[in-house]
Amino acid sequence: MVEFENNAYFWQKLDTLYLSSGYQITRKKGDVHPHFHNLIYPVDYGYVVDTKSFEKDGVSLYAGSGNRNEISALVVAADILSKELDVKVLVGCNAEEVDKVLRFLNQTDYQKTIIIRRGYELPSWAESDI
């Protein structure tokens, strides 16, 4: 089993970035993907406003039915067709919605993802003197 060493300070910075920027929903739950007509969005999809990513609109965001002021997890996608790594933010997603997003993102042989669930631990190396 592979574990990620979580850092509460990282999540704090991510919360600040997200909450100070806001988000824009571009596709609603149930919408058909514009390029792959067999893909149906399992939750609302959009982007974090005023952020940078490979796509012009900013960091991708999947928004579930829960508290959209709370980041649930990050998904990191490796896409061999576009030759990129992409980070996606999950907000307000319950366990079932997270599972649906992962199934949605892993349907193709060209892209696979991993999930990094939010943690609240502070490893000793993460402490700051500032």
Side-chain angles (χ1 to χ4, degrees):
M1 178 177 189
V2 176
E3 282 190 40
F4 293 97
E5 189 158 5
N6 253 302
N7 180 341
Y9 289 134
F10 168 80
W11 293 100
Q12 181 185 48
K13 298 299 182 222
L14 189 55
D15 285 340
T16 301
L17 176 77
Y18 170 67
L19 293 171
S20 67
S21 299
Y23 63 91
Q24 178 70 43
I25 298 298
T26 57
R27 295 186 187 94
K28 300 297 269 176
K29 176 181 178 180
D31 283 355
V32 175
H33 190 282
H35 303 292
F36 305 101
H37 301 294
N38 60 319
L39 300 180
I40 308 296
Y41 285 90
V43 297
D44 291 347
Y45 171 80
Y47 61 93
V48 181
V49 176
D50 293 330
T51 58
K52 297 177 184 177
S53 80
F54 294 111
E55 296 182 10
K56 63 179 172 116
D57 288 335
V59 175
S60 295
L61 172 126
Y62 288 86
S65 60
N67 180 359
R68 291 191 175 180
N69 289 323
E70 183 177 308
I71 296 173
S72 311
L74 294 177
V75 172
V76 179
D79 189 323
I80 61 172
L81 282 183
S82 60
K83 296 185 177 184
E84 69 182 23
L85 292 175
D86 190 20
V87 176
K88 302 161 188 314
V89 177
L90 276 60
V91 298
C93 291
N94 61 37
E96 181 182 348
E97 290 168 331
V98 169
D99 184 59
K100 287 179 179 180
V101 169
L102 290 173
R103 289 179 187 277
F104 174 76
L105 292 172
N106 284 286
Q107 289 183 64
T108 172
D109 289 335
Y110 303 110
Q111 175 178 277
K112 294 301 174 191
T113 65
I114 61 169
I115 187 165
I116 303 172
R117 297 180 194 280
R118 186 182 190 111
Y120 298 93
E121 302 82 28
L122 272 179
S124 61
W125 57 261
E127 294 177 12
S128 175
D129 292 298
I130 302 173

